[in-house]
Amino acid sequence: MPSVLFVCLGNICRSPAAHGAFLEALARANMLEDVRVDSAGTGDWHVGRPPDHRMTKAARQRGIDLTPLRARQVTRQDFDDFSYVFAMDLSNLRDMEALAQGRRTQPQLYLDLIAPGAQREVPDPYYGGAAGFEHVLDLVERASQALITRLTQSD
Ligand code: 4NP
């Protein structure tokens, strides 16, 4: 079974949004039983906490439930356990390179699935206003569709 891990810095805004949006897209495609999904942060500040309430609220308005999610930190083992590890931005990607060294799966930028070379990063909404959270959701919802297409083509 393919498995997908979404990674950002804190695991309370972007990667939970990607995680929840992808689960929702899988549910709509009747594929929830076919893919294992998780998310994590490169940092450990928010471990054990639920997603940021601003992201939870914005996601709920799109029918995406983030309330079951809890933050955890990414580990070396994740790069053997998951078949895909998606970074939200270039800083996340760089932070994971050492962890992934010699492991089965190498991290890649999530948005490269939709527009290689165009907008490559999901911007960090943490210190901004509500529009930033909506923008993150727009991006990860689009990428979810591309990921489903990728998985159905390759498995
Ligand atoms: P995330 O956003 O990486 O999308 O979860 C952030 C959450 C928390 C912090 C930074 C980014 N922080 O500095 O605490």
Side-chain angles (χ1 to χ4, degrees), residues 8-14 46 124 126-127:
C8 63
L9 177 60
N11 193 207
I12 56 168
C13 296
R14 291 165 294 172
H46 303 285
D124 186 348
Y126 192 69
Y127 294 106

Side-chain angles (χ1 to χ4, degrees), residues 3-153:
S3 51
V4 176
L5 179 67
F6 298 105
V7 179
C8 63
L9 177 60
N11 193 207
I12 56 168
C13 296
R14 291 165 294 172
S15 59
H19 184 163
F22 187 54
L23 285 179
E24 189 54 37
L26 285 174
R28 280 198 304 272
N30 226 344
M31 289 174 62
L32 263 186
E33 307 296 315
D34 305 335
V35 188
R36 184 161 74 93
V37 187
D38 200 4
S39 59
T42 58
D44 66 357
W45 311 283
H46 303 285
V47 167
R49 302 228 187 101
D52 186 287
H53 64 93
R54 297 166 293 174
M55 186 56 88
T56 301
K57 183 176 167 211
R60 185 170 59 233
Q61 287 164 354
R62 299 182 187 215
I64 298 167
D65 180 17
L66 302 186
T67 60
L69 306 182
R70 294 294 178 271
R72 74 170 179 89
Q73 191 172 26
V74 68
T75 67
R76 291 180 190 279
Q77 185 68 40
D78 285 324
F79 299 92
D80 287 328
D81 291 347
F82 286 86
S83 35
Y84 295 87
V85 178
F86 291 113
M88 296 299 117
D89 67 25
L90 285 163
S91 162
N92 310 147
L93 189 67
R94 265 183 238 113
D95 288 343
M96 287 193 280
E97 269 161 13
L99 292 176
Q101 206 141 54
R103 304 277 168 171
R104 172 171 75 111
T105 299
Q106 296 304 303
Q108 54 187 304
L109 280 177
Y110 192 31
L111 294 190
D112 276 353
L113 284 184
I114 44 177
Q119 175 162 6
R120 303 189 74 204
E121 304 188 276
V122 181
D124 186 348
Y126 192 69
Y127 294 106
F133 291 84
E134 297 297 334
H135 184 48
V136 168
L137 286 164
D138 289 342
L139 291 169
V140 300
E141 284 191 320
R142 277 180 60 207
S144 291
Q145 289 310 318
L147 180 51
I148 285 191
T149 303
R150 168 75 62 93
L151 291 174
T152 47
Q153 282 168 352

